[in-house]
Amino acid sequence: MSQFDQNPPTFGEPDFAEPRPGWPTGLGIFSIVWGSLGVLCGGCTVASTFAQGPMLEWAAKMQAQAPQTSGAPAMPTGPIPAELHPGAMQILSAVIHPLGGIILLVAGILLCMRRPVARMTHLVYAAVSLLGTIVGVMGVMSWVGSFRAFEAAQPDHEWVAYFNTFSNPSMMVAQTIGAAFVSVLFPVFVIIWFGMVKKRPEDMGAVAPDQYV
């Protein structure tokens, strides 16, 4: 008989930790890129919204001082009527959009770091983004309504002809709704993903702080 036990001891399966999911990194990088674009485009929107009137009036003065080219449409030289300036909702929307981009940028960084707070930060971004989109659509519709009322009262006004030629208010609502549809796609995805699918820190491979103690 062998001096060793015929039934050698058995050992359990090695306890390997489950690999962390890879989606937080991919989604986090997308959020960083999309948020950066939101900040950039939002900043341009803020600048154009607040500076549109002065810039158009300045361009009209410059054109009046320059030699006229035959066939080139002349810009109005008078001030833009108050009814045709951006309304309060357009200004509010212009401020909200870059704010949403900043929040998404931070959320993307937190998600790449697999911080549990990244989930709530993404949901805050989604709420801010949807609010900005709704306010933006309402702002454009309100401006077009103001323009049409001003056009009906003063159809021969020089700025009415200019906006009808270069801005095409008739198409602004349709274009805005189309852009709004595209802009809500990612916020809606964020609400579904973080509000219904990935609701726990473990879902993103977050590590509890006490494991490092």
Side-chain angles (χ1 to χ4, degrees):
M1 184 175 180
S2 172
Q3 58 179 340
F4 299 104
D5 189 354
Q6 294 182 355
N7 297 318
T10 58
F11 300 95
E13 293 293 330
D15 185 16
F16 294 114
E18 293 185 3
R20 293 201 293 176
W23 69 263
T25 300
L27 183 56
I29 292 175
F30 181 85
S31 296
I32 292 172
V33 174
W34 197 248
S36 300
L37 291 175
V39 173
L40 179 62
C41 296
C44 294
T45 301
V46 170
S48 63
T49 299
F50 285 96
Q52 176 181 357
M55 286 182 62
L56 288 176
E57 293 174 5
W58 174 84
K61 291 179 181 179
M62 293 297 101
Q63 186 184 58
Q65 297 174 3
Q68 293 295 321
T69 303
S70 58
M75 291 183 64
T77 56
I80 300 177
E83 295 87 345
L84 304 185
H85 282 278
M89 285 189 292
Q90 287 178 293
I91 295 174
L92 179 60
S93 173
V95 173
I96 292 176
H97 277 298
L99 176 61
I102 293 173
I103 296 174
L104 182 59
L105 178 60
V106 174
I109 295 173
L110 293 172
L111 187 58
C112 288
M113 299 171 65
R114 299 177 188 268
R115 299 288 179 84
V117 71
R119 172 180 174 270
M120 183 54 64
T121 310
H122 270 87
L123 291 175
V124 171
Y125 147 75
V128 171
S129 179
L130 291 176
L131 175 63
T133 299
I134 293 172
V135 173
V137 172
M138 294 176 61
V140 170
M141 295 178 67
S142 176
W143 184 88
V144 172
S146 297
F147 176 85
R148 291 307 178 200
F150 183 85
E151 181 184 29
Q154 302 187 50
D156 297 327
H157 196 280
E158 55 183 355
W159 282 106
V160 168
Y162 175 83
F163 279 110
N164 274 325
T165 302
F166 294 98
S167 298
N168 196 358
S170 299
M171 292 296 297
M172 286 183 66
V173 174
Q175 293 170 347
T176 301
I177 293 176
F181 175 77
V182 175
S183 66
V184 302
L185 293 179
F186 188 60
V188 169
F189 166 78
V190 166
I191 292 175
I192 296 173
W193 187 253
F194 288 104
M196 303 178 185
V197 181
K198 303 296 183 182
K199 299 187 292 185
R200 303 176 305 162
E202 295 82 4
D203 293 333
M204 68 178 68
V207 180
D210 59 356
Q211 295 188 16
Y212 290 103
V213 178

